[in-house]
C-alpha cells in the first residue's frame, strides 16, 4: 500500500496538543482517555508505550460540583449518573431532601416501553428527577460533550443507560447489579484508574505514532479542497497549494462539515446529512500559580459547573492533582474550560479579556486572587460534534450512502464517540473496511 496523509494543520495530532517547557506539561486538548475503552491502551502497547501509561493520583481527591456558589463533593458511588451507595448520597448537600427522595423513586418507576429516542435531559428527569438533572447530570454531561442535554440523543450518547432501564426496570437496580458483577469478575492485566494518560502527556501517543509510520507520506499544512472521481474509479484530491493526488481509496477523518463540502459533488444527499451534525466551540485556559502564593482550595481534581449557576466556566481541573509529574512542586496548574452549546461567545474574546474573565470567576469561586506565572489559551472552533436527537438514524443513513461509494470511508469523532479510544477505533474500522473493499 502507498499511504498519504493530508493534514490541514501545520502539526499532526488534531485536538491532541501537549506543550512541554520549563518542567511543565500542559494539555491544550484532552488530557486523558478512558481505561474502560481498550482501543487507546492497545495502541499504546503496540507502540511500545505500555510502561508510559499512568493513572490518576491516589491523593488527588474527588470531583466537586458548584452549587449556589459553593463547591460540594460529588457523592461517592455515582456511576453513569446513577447512585450506587445510599449513605454518601444521604449525607450530600448537593441535593435537597426532596431531591434525594425523588432519586429514590427510580426503584419504582416503570421503564418507558417506546423505542423512540429521547433527549438525555428528558431521560434523567424521568428517572431521577429535575434536581438530580440540574445539579448533577447536566454539569457532568457538559464536561463531556459541552452540549445541551435537552438536545443530546440518549441512544447516541448513553445507550447503556437505556439498556439498563429496560433490562433491570430501574437504573439503581441495574447499576447495583453491574457493580456486584464487576466485583466478582477477575480483570485481566493491571488494575487501571478510570482515566489514564501518559508520563509526558497525551501528545506522547502522537509522537510515538508518527515515529512508527516510516512508510507513510505525511503531508502537514496541506488542505484538501476538492475531490473528484475519474471514470476508471480513481479519486483525484486537489489541495490548497495546487497539488493533486491520485488515490484508489480515501478515508475522511475531517470534521463532518468539512467532509460534507468535499463530498457534495459526488453525493449531495450525503453532504446534506453530514451538515446536520452540529458542532460546538470551546476554549481551554491553563493557568500556573506559585504554590507559595496561595493556599490551594480543597477542590480535589476539579469541579464542574451547572448551567443554572450562570457562569462562563463550565469546568475546572487541577492538572497537578490529577496526574503526577505535570509541573515542578512549586507550581499548581489549573485548567479552565469555557464554551458550551448555546453559550460560545466567550471563546472568541481577545486573550486579555478571556484571561480576565477566567481569573475573575476563579477568584469568585476559589478566592484565587494571585497573578499566574504562566498562562496558555487554546481555542477549538467547531470542535465538539453534538449527537443530537435523531443522530443514530442519521448515522444509519450516512453509512448506507457511504456503502454505495466504492473506496470511500469516514472516521472521526462525528459518528460513534468523541473520545480518544472512540476515534482510534473509528479509524481502525475505516481502514479495515477499505482494505476489504480492495480485496473484493
Amino acid at each position: 500500500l502507498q499511504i498519504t496523509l493530508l493534514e490541514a494543520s501545520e502539526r499532526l495530532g488534531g485536538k491532541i496538543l501537549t506543550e512541554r517547557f520549563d518542567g511543565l506539561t500542559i494539555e491544550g486538548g484532552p488530557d486523558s482517555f478512558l481505561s474502560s475503552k481498550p482501543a487507546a491502551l492497545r495502541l499504546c502497547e503496540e507502540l511500545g508505550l505500555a510502561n508510559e501509561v499512568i493513572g490518576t493520583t491516589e491523593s488527588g481527591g474527588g470531583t466537586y460540583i458548584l452549587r449556589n456558589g459553593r463547591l460540594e463533593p460529588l457523592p461517592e458511588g455515582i456511576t453513569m449518573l446513577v447512585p450506587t451507595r445510599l449513605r454518601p448520597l444521604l449525607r450530600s448537600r448537593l441535593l435537597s431532601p426532596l431531591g434525594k427522595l425523588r432519586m429514590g423513586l427510580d426503584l419504582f418507576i416503570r421503564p418507558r416501553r417506546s423505542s423512540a429516542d429521547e433527549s438525555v435531559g428528558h431521560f434523567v428527569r424521568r428517572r431521577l428527577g429535575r434536581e438530580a438533572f440540574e445539579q448533577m447530570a447536566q454539569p457532568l454531561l457538559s464536561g463531556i460533550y459541552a452540549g445541551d442535554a435537552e438536545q443530546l440523543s440518549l441512544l447516541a450518547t448513553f445507550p447503556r443507560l437505556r439498556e439498563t432501564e429496560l433490562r433491570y426496570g430501574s437504573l439503581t437496580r441495574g447499576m447495583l447489579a453491574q457493580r456486584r458483577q464487576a466485583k466478582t469478575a477477575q480483570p485481566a492485566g493491571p488494575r487501571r484508574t478510570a482515566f489514564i494518560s501518559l508520563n509526558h502527556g497525551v501528545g506522547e501517543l502522537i509522537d510515538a505514532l508518527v515515529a512508527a509510520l516510516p512508510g507513510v507520506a505525511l503531508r502537514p499544512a496541506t488542505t484538501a479542497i476538492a475531490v473528484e472521481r475519474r471514470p476508471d474509479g480513481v479519486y483525484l484530491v486537489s489541495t490548497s497549494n495546487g497539488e493533486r493526488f491520485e488515490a484508489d481509496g480515501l478515508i475522511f477523518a475531517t470534521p463532518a462539515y468539512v467532509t460534507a463540502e468535499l463530498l457534495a459533488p459526488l453525493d449531495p444527499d450525503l453532504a446534506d446529512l453530514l451538515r446536520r451534525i452540529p458542532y460546538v466551540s470551546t476554549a481551554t485556559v491553563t493557568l500556573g500559580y506559585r504554590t507559595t502564593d496561595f493556599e490551594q482550595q480543597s477542590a480535589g481534581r476539579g469541579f464542574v459547573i451547572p448551567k443554572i449557576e450562570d457562569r462562563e466556566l463550565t469546568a475546572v481541573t487541577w492538572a497537578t492533582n490529577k496526574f503526577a509529574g505535570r509541573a515542578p512542586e512549586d507550581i499548581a496548574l489549573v485548567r479552565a474550560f469555557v464554551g458550551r452549546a448555546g453559550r460560545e461567545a466567550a471563546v472568541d474574546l481577545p486573550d486579555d479579556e478571556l484571561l480576565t474573565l477566567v481569573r475573575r470567576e476563579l477568584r469568585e469561586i476559589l478566592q484565587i486572587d494571585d497573578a499566574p506565572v504562566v498562562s496558555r489559551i487554546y481555542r477549538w472552533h467547531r470542535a465538539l460534534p453534538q449527537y443530537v436527537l435523531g443522530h443514530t438514524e442519521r448515522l444509519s443513513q450516512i453509512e448506507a450512502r457511504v456503502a454505495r461509494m466504492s473506496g470511500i470511508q469516514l472516521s472521526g469523532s462525528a459518528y460513534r464517540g468523541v473520545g480518544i479510544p472512540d476515534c482510534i477505533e473509528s479509524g481502525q474500522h475505516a481502514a479495515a473496511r477499505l482494505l476489504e473493499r480492495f480485496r473484493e
Side-chain angles (χ1 to χ4, degrees), residues 188-246:
R191 185 176 179 180
R192 305 283 189 186
T193 58
F195 294 95
I196 54 181
S197 187
L198 295 165
N199 267 320
H200 302 289
V202 184
E204 193 174 356
L205 178 64
I206 303 302
D207 298 338
L209 188 56
V210 170
L213 300 175
V216 176
L218 303 175
R219 297 296 302 271
T222 305
T223 304
I225 60 172
V227 174
E228 308 167 53
R229 189 170 189 239
R230 293 193 320 216
D232 61 359
V234 172
Y235 290 97
L236 297 176
V237 181
S238 301
T239 68
S240 55
N241 56 16
E243 293 181 280
R244 300 188 87 192
F245 294 85
E246 292 186 357

Side-chain angles (χ1 to χ4, degrees), residues 86-99:
L86 181 60
R87 189 171 298 173
L89 179 65
L90 292 177
R91 288 200 303 257
S92 173
R93 294 183 299 184
L94 199 54
L95 302 179
S96 69
L98 284 177

Side-chain angles (χ1 to χ4, degrees), residues 72-138:
E72 301 289 351
L74 181 68
E76 294 181 15
I78 297 293
T79 303
M80 292 285 289
L81 313 179
V82 182
T84 59
R85 294 177 59 184
L86 181 60
R87 189 171 298 173
L89 179 65
L90 292 177
R91 288 200 303 257
S92 173
R93 294 183 299 184
L94 199 54
L95 302 179
S96 69
L98 284 177
K100 296 170 186 177
L101 181 63
R102 175 61 182 84
M103 286 189 77
L105 292 180
D106 167 69
L107 289 165
F108 308 100
I109 296 173
R110 291 183 178 181
R112 175 175 175 262
R113 292 302 174 185
S114 170
S115 60
D117 197 3
E118 65 181 315
S119 73
V120 176
H122 184 272
F123 176 84
V124 175
R125 283 194 301 272
R126 179 169 62 79
R127 296 298 324 177
L128 304 174
R130 177 189 58 79
E131 197 174 339
F133 167 71
E134 291 182 349
Q135 299 293 348
M136 290 198 307
Q138 183 276 322

Side-chain angles (χ1 to χ4, degrees), residues 153-196:
S153 158
L154 178 71
L155 297 182
T157 55
F158 290 95
R160 183 178 159 193
L161 289 178
R162 177 59 174 155
E163 293 164 5
T164 299
E165 177 189 31
L166 290 174
R167 180 177 178 184
Y168 296 95
S170 156
L171 296 182
T172 306
R173 272 197 297 271
M175 289 303 169
L176 288 172
Q178 292 170 30
R179 187 178 173 190
R180 288 192 295 269
Q181 293 167 8
K183 282 185 177 180
T184 58
Q186 295 295 323
R191 185 176 179 180
R192 305 283 189 186
T193 58
F195 294 95
I196 54 181

Side-chain angles (χ1 to χ4, degrees), residues 281 307 310-312 338-347 361:
S281 299
K307 186 178 180 180
D310 195 28
R311 295 277 183 180
E312 293 295 343
V338 174
R340 61 171 179 261
R343 195 161 181 169
E344 303 172 64
V347 173
E361 296 206 355

